[in-house]
Amino acid sequence: MNYIVFDLEFNMFFRFKEGDQANPGLKNEIIQIGAVKLNQQLEQIGEFNLLIKPVVYKRLNPYVKKKTNIDMSRIIPRRPFLQAMESFKAWMGNEAVLCSWGQDDILGLRENCSYFGFNALIFDRFINIQKIYMEFGGLSKQPSLESAVDGLEIEKSLPFHDAFSDAAYTGDVFRKIYDFSQDAIINWGKVQRENEQRIEELKHLLAKTNICCPECGSQVIKNGEFSKPKKYFAFGFCSHCNLPIRHTARIANKSGEFEIICNNVIYKKDQSD
């Protein structure tokens, strides 16, 4: 079994001119994937670094360009996502476990796979190195990769915010803190299915909750409601204060623990939902 420590850089929507709109099916489009391959002794045995041609957000978001120093002249001639994933899959080999700093990259990878029609089952075995580092250091807040590199006194010889450089640094952190516990390896697809089921259960509970007027505190009868992924909205009218009320609930996932964050606010009818 090998460990594939990877990192991604993304491009995302930017309104360059009036009328531009984001693609609702893909929030972040992968434009670079970098990775190092470690054997069971955590010795580096391979490297992977590939720029990917964007086809959804074809112009670079200015923030992404500034942060990563990637420009369009470097990525336009590159291969598109499906070809890049075939190369990455072949390089990974069989019985590999993906590892990354936090959950954002595995979520982004699976979102891109879903959008472009690439089978993401090969990316189901996953280790969250940031979580292991937090347990290692007894931390309650999510640290940046650079702070972990500094905390472990790892030499900084490469620039950050480059997919390959960040993957290499994450691999260095991994070597210093991993205890080879199989408990660290999760089935990402199974976890996501369980999370989605839990979210739906919480939404049903939210639909049964009461909403109150933030002015007088009295209970308000709902006259409308709807849900979005991880969000629930309900509307009512306080007859005591003669005010329209909006109730918003957000389902947050903090290190695997779900919590509901709610508030009731007075709203104007011309406000967007």
Side-chain angles (χ1 to χ4, degrees):
M1 178 180 72
N2 293 322
Y3 300 96
I4 307 298
V5 185
F6 79 104
D7 188 86
L8 305 174
E9 296 298 341
F10 299 91
N11 191 28
M12 67 282 294
F13 172 74
F14 183 82
R15 192 180 297 277
F16 288 99
K17 62 180 184 296
E18 191 67 28
D20 286 350
Q21 292 184 335
N23 187 317
L26 188 66
K27 182 180 178 182
N28 299 309
E29 184 175 13
I30 298 172
I31 56 172
Q32 185 188 16
I33 179 167
V36 293
K37 183 187 293 185
L38 310 179
N39 62 19
Q40 288 186 299
Q41 290 73 45
L42 303 189
E43 299 166 331
Q44 183 170 319
I45 58 174
E47 297 180 352
F48 187 91
N49 188 10
L50 189 65
L51 291 169
I52 300 173
K53 180 179 181 179
V55 297
V56 177
Y57 302 118
K58 297 180 181 180
R59 294 182 66 183
L60 273 180
N61 184 305
Y63 171 77
V64 172
K65 184 176 181 179
K66 181 179 179 181
K67 180 182 176 182
T68 65
N69 289 318
I70 295 174
D71 59 57
M72 291 305 296
S73 64
R74 292 177 61 198
I75 56 178
I76 284 178
R78 302 295 176 166
R79 61 188 97 174
F81 180 81
L82 289 177
Q83 292 181 23
M85 284 302 100
E86 289 294 346
S87 297
F88 186 51
K89 177 183 176 181
W91 176 81
M92 282 175 56
N94 299 323
E95 299 299 319
V97 178
L98 282 178
C99 314
S100 71
W101 186 258
Q103 299 183 159
D104 289 346
D105 284 347
I106 188 68
L107 285 169
L109 179 61
R110 292 179 68 88
E111 180 188 35
N112 277 251
C113 286
S114 176
Y115 182 85
F116 289 108
F118 186 83
N119 185 359
L121 288 177
I122 62 168
F123 304 133
D124 260 1
R125 301 178 73 200
F126 173 71
I127 294 175
N128 183 343
I129 297 176
Q130 184 188 59
K131 183 178 180 181
I132 296 174
Y133 178 74
M134 290 174 68
E135 294 171 351
F136 174 84
L139 305 177
S140 57
K141 294 184 178 181
Q142 293 182 338
S144 67
L145 173 60
E146 188 168 3
S147 70
V149 169
D150 289 337
L152 294 170
E153 299 181 344
I154 295 169
E155 181 183 356
K156 293 193 288 188
S157 57
L158 298 169
F160 285 87
H161 307 303
D162 169 85
F164 178 75
S165 297
D166 287 355
Y169 282 128
T170 305
D172 291 338
V173 172
F174 192 48
R175 290 189 190 90
K176 285 182 172 287
I177 63 174
Y178 191 46
D179 64 1
F180 296 92
S181 169
Q182 289 298 309
D183 293 338
I185 302 175
I186 65 170
N187 183 313
W188 189 254
K190 179 173 179 289
V191 168
Q192 289 303 101
R193 289 191 296 271
E194 291 173 348
N195 286 349
E196 289 168 4
Q197 181 179 353
R198 181 61 177 151
I199 288 170
E200 288 305 312
E201 291 171 355
L202 291 174
K203 281 184 179 179
H204 288 306
L205 289 175
L206 287 170
K208 298 177 182 178
T209 60
N210 297 320
I211 64 175
C212 298
C213 174
E215 286 286 306
C216 67
S218 61
Q219 184 175 325
V220 177
I221 297 175
K222 296 178 187 177
N223 56 25
E225 60 183 354
F226 70 93
S227 295
K228 291 183 177 181
K230 297 188 180 181
K231 288 186 178 181
Y232 168 79
F233 302 89
F235 301 88
F237 189 85
C238 179
S239 57
H240 296 287
C241 303
N242 196 33
L243 291 171
I245 309 300
R246 180 173 70 177
H247 170 86
T248 304
R250 178 169 59 88
I251 301 170
N253 182 355
K254 294 185 177 180
S255 300
E257 296 293 329
F258 286 94
E259 64 177 353
I260 299 172
I261 302 170
C262 302
N263 68 344
N264 296 304
V265 297
I266 299 167
Y267 76 104
K268 296 179 181 179
K269 290 186 177 181
D270 61 350
Q271 284 183 330
S272 62
D273 295 333

